[in-house]
Amino acid sequence: MIHNIVNSDLFLLTLTVGFYCAGTAIFRRTKIMILHPALLTFVAIIAMLKWFGVEYEQYREATGILDFALGLSVVALGYLMYEQTDRIRGRMLPIAVSTVVGCLVGILSVVYIALAFGAEREIVTSIAPKSVTVPIAVSVSEPLGGIVAVTSVVVFCVGIFGSVCGDWILSRCGVADKMAKGFALGSAAHGIGTARAIELGAIEGAMSGLAMALMGIVTAVVLPIVEKYLY
């Protein structure tokens, strides 16, 4: 009886949503970085799957509606950008330059720091696309010899760090412009950073969504070149 309940799609879906809601409540009360709701949910789901002996494929199928909702949220970001079209239209050159420079700095900084600490090329390639969303990061690093698991975990951790500390760091650096702040969060912390940017405001959310998309495209083009010639 209990086994049938645990393995039901509704139970797994409800438990996942419950974990995230509980994590959100804990984080809002404590404001402690390691208690970020995404991280708490991540750990709780792993523990749940191990405890109940549920296969990941079964869990993925049971929570498929959440993947569908994620797609809808991406469409919603498009609407936010549409609302800010007038602001964006006259700043395409700065946006393009910022994307390329940010991409190069983001990749080369982590690459050379890792090499300085003696990391193997496989690890370096795995962590190089740290600032783009997981599907793009994995699709770029894996063909170059990266480890998918390492890439996924690093991207996830970078997103949480950017979401929690990004706004504070930007404020301390004197970045007050809403467009700049949103663009920085999206380009450095991808989807999780964009979620935080939306909380800050519509302008920040729109620019963060744009930055996330542009960084994914530019990283997919630039990283193979960097991997071939610069390390």
Side-chain angles (χ1 to χ4, degrees):
M1 177 68 176
I2 296 177
H3 182 271
N4 291 335
I5 294 175
V6 169
N7 283 275
S8 69
D9 291 353
L10 181 59
F11 175 80
L12 295 174
L13 178 61
T14 302
L15 207 56
T16 300
V17 175
F19 284 150
Y20 185 79
C21 291
T24 301
I26 293 172
F27 180 70
R28 286 178 177 174
R29 181 176 290 270
T30 62
K31 298 296 181 182
I32 299 175
M33 179 180 173
I34 60 172
L35 298 180
H36 190 282
L39 181 58
L40 290 179
T41 305
F42 182 73
V43 173
I45 289 174
I46 292 176
M48 176 194 71
L49 296 182
K50 288 290 186 179
W51 180 268
F52 292 120
V54 178
E55 296 293 332
Y56 174 71
E57 289 302 322
Q58 178 186 350
Y59 172 79
R60 183 177 180 180
E61 183 178 348
T63 56
I65 190 173
L66 297 180
D67 288 333
F68 177 73
L70 181 61
L72 295 180
S73 68
V74 174
V75 174
L77 288 177
Y79 181 74
L80 285 178
M81 284 186 279
Y82 172 75
E83 287 187 319
Q84 304 300 325
T85 301
D86 292 338
R87 292 176 179 270
I88 297 173
R89 186 180 293 115
R91 303 188 183 186
M92 289 309 299
L93 181 59
I95 288 174
V97 173
S98 298
T99 302
V100 175
V101 173
C103 177
L104 287 172
V105 172
I107 293 174
L108 293 178
S109 60
V110 71
V111 163
Y112 288 127
I113 289 173
L115 290 175
F117 279 95
E120 298 180 357
R121 189 182 185 91
E122 187 179 37
I123 297 298
V124 174
T125 301
S126 301
I127 65 177
K130 62 177 178 55
S131 296
V132 296
T133 188
V134 171
I136 296 177
V138 168
S139 65
V140 173
S141 69
E142 186 176 16
L144 298 176
I147 304 171
V148 171
V150 173
T151 301
S152 300
V153 171
V154 169
V155 170
F156 180 77
C157 292
V158 168
I160 290 178
F161 179 81
S163 174
V164 175
C165 301
D167 182 38
W168 181 84
I169 293 174
L170 291 170
S171 297
R172 292 298 180 275
C173 292
V175 178
D177 183 80
K178 293 183 178 181
M179 294 186 68
K181 186 174 288 189
F183 200 86
L185 287 171
S187 60
H190 50 86
I192 303 178
T194 298
R196 172 57 180 155
I198 292 174
E199 293 178 357
L200 296 177
I203 297 175
E204 291 91 333
M207 293 307 300
S208 185
L210 176 63
M212 181 177 64
L214 293 177
M215 277 292 289
I217 295 172
V218 174
T219 299
V221 175
V222 170
L223 184 57
I225 299 174
V226 171
E227 191 272 342
K228 184 175 182 179
Y229 294 107
L230 297 183
Y231 71 89

